[in-house]
Amino acid sequence: TSSENIIVHSLMKAEGRVISRAAIMERLGNDDRYSADNILAVFTCRIRKSLAAVGAGSPIETVKRVGMRWNHA
């Protein structure tokens, strides 16, 4: 989906640096803080499944209580 593409692009662009959950939600155009955790969890799960399906592993690292980062070694 376009939301998943926005997340992947944002993480890849900032490779190695943590992007806060709030910053990701802002890029998605969603400022509903109550649903943010669930939305990001669903999108991240879908992205990880898609990457695993093509043998890319899971370069998305969740940094608890902070955000996420693209850590492709």
Side-chain angles (χ1 to χ4, degrees):
T1 67
S2 62
S3 295
E4 292 164 7
N5 287 334
I6 291 169
I7 294 169
V8 170
H9 181 263
S10 298
L11 292 171
M12 288 178 75
K13 188 175 177 184
E15 184 171 359
R17 291 179 284 143
V18 176
I19 299 179
S20 72
R21 298 173 89 66
I24 294 170
M25 291 307 295
E26 184 178 308
R27 290 176 184 158
L28 293 175
N30 185 333
D31 59 359
D32 183 358
R33 295 173 195 252
Y34 298 106
S35 65
D37 284 337
N38 187 47
I39 289 170
L40 282 178
V42 170
F43 285 142
T44 303
C45 181
R46 288 182 187 169
I47 294 166
R48 286 181 171 139
K49 283 182 182 179
S50 295
L51 291 170
V54 296
S58 183
I60 298 174
E61 179 183 352
T62 301
V63 181
K64 288 188 179 189
R65 297 190 175 111
V66 180
M68 294 185 280
R69 81 173 130 220
W70 187 269
N71 195 12
H72 195 64

